[in-house]
Tab-separated table of all heavy atoms in Angstrom:
chain	number	residue	atom	x	y	z
A	373	CYS	N	-132.987	315.557	129.135
A	373	CYS	CA	-134.357	315.011	129.153
A	373	CYS	C	-135.364	316.059	129.624
A	373	CYS	O	-136.446	316.187	129.041
A	373	CYS	CB	-134.432	313.778	130.054
A	373	CYS	SG	-133.520	312.375	129.406
A	383	ASN	N	-138.917	314.352	120.827
A	383	ASN	CA	-139.693	313.351	121.552
A	383	ASN	C	-138.944	313.023	122.849
A	383	ASN	O	-137.948	312.312	122.845
A	383	ASN	CB	-139.855	312.100	120.677
A	383	ASN	CG	-140.654	311.023	121.391
A	383	ASN	OD1	-140.677	310.956	122.621
A	383	ASN	ND2	-141.320	310.184	120.618
A	384	GLY	N	-139.431	313.583	123.940
A	384	GLY	CA	-138.750	313.454	125.230
A	384	GLY	C	-138.606	312.011	125.689
A	384	GLY	O	-137.595	311.648	126.286
A	385	TYR	N	-139.610	311.185	125.397
A	385	TYR	CA	-139.523	309.781	125.834
A	385	TYR	C	-138.397	309.061	125.105
A	385	TYR	O	-137.673	308.251	125.680
A	385	TYR	CB	-140.865	309.070	125.609
A	385	TYR	CG	-141.912	309.541	126.598
A	385	TYR	CD1	-142.836	310.515	126.245
A	385	TYR	CD2	-141.945	309.041	127.893
A	385	TYR	CE1	-143.775	310.968	127.159
A	385	TYR	CE2	-142.872	309.491	128.811
A	385	TYR	CZ	-143.787	310.452	128.441
A	385	TYR	OH	-144.696	310.907	129.351
A	386	GLN	N	-138.260	309.408	123.806
A	386	GLN	CA	-137.178	308.793	123.032
A	386	GLN	C	-135.814	309.265	123.566
A	386	GLN	O	-134.893	308.465	123.721
A	386	GLN	CB	-137.321	309.233	121.581
A	386	GLN	CG	-136.909	308.179	120.591
A	386	GLN	CD	-137.536	308.506	119.249
A	386	GLN	OE1	-137.482	309.653	118.801
A	386	GLN	NE2	-138.131	307.526	118.625
A	387	ILE	N	-135.738	310.550	123.853
A	387	ILE	CA	-134.483	311.090	124.391
A	387	ILE	C	-134.175	310.442	125.745
A	387	ILE	O	-133.028	310.097	126.036
A	387	ILE	CB	-134.564	312.625	124.481
A	387	ILE	CG1	-134.501	313.184	123.052
A	387	ILE	CG2	-133.443	313.221	125.334
A	387	ILE	CD1	-134.710	314.649	122.932
A	388	GLU	N	-135.206	310.231	126.548
A	388	GLU	CA	-134.996	309.574	127.838
A	388	GLU	C	-134.441	308.158	127.642
A	388	GLU	O	-133.466	307.763	128.301
A	388	GLU	CB	-136.315	309.526	128.624
A	388	GLU	CG	-136.148	308.963	130.021
A	388	GLU	CD	-137.480	308.838	130.737
A	388	GLU	OE1	-138.167	307.819	130.534
A	388	GLU	OE2	-137.841	309.760	131.490
A	389	ALA	N	-135.055	307.401	126.728
A	389	ALA	CA	-134.596	306.017	126.508
A	389	ALA	C	-133.165	306.006	125.970
A	389	ALA	O	-132.323	305.214	126.409
A	389	ALA	CB	-135.545	305.297	125.541
A	390	ASN	N	-132.864	306.933	125.038
A	390	ASN	CA	-131.496	307.000	124.492
A	390	ASN	C	-130.498	307.382	125.577
A	390	ASN	O	-129.394	306.829	125.653
A	390	ASN	CB	-131.412	308.044	123.365
A	390	ASN	CG	-132.189	307.613	122.140
A	390	ASN	OD1	-132.529	306.440	121.989
A	390	ASN	ND2	-132.508	308.571	121.273
A	391	SER	N	-130.890	308.332	126.424
A	391	SER	CA	-129.990	308.799	127.482
A	391	SER	C	-129.772	307.691	128.507
A	391	SER	O	-128.661	307.504	129.018
A	391	SER	CB	-130.580	310.023	128.193
A	391	SER	OG	-130.847	311.047	127.266
A	392	PHE	N	-130.843	306.961	128.794
A	392	PHE	CA	-130.743	305.832	129.721
A	392	PHE	C	-129.715	304.832	129.191
A	392	PHE	O	-128.822	304.378	129.913
A	392	PHE	CB	-132.124	305.178	129.865
A	392	PHE	CG	-132.184	304.059	130.850
A	392	PHE	CD1	-132.386	304.323	132.191
A	392	PHE	CD2	-132.036	302.740	130.434
A	392	PHE	CE1	-132.442	303.277	133.113
A	392	PHE	CE2	-132.084	301.700	131.347
A	392	PHE	CZ	-132.295	301.968	132.692
A	393	ALA	N	-129.829	304.522	127.898
A	393	ALA	CA	-128.902	303.563	127.287
A	393	ALA	C	-127.469	304.100	127.315
A	393	ALA	O	-126.511	303.358	127.542
A	393	ALA	CB	-129.334	303.281	125.846
Side-chain angles (χ1 to χ4, degrees):
C373 292
N383 180 333
Y385 288 98
Q386 214 160 47
I387 288 174
E388 185 184 84
N390 292 343
S391 303
F392 184 85

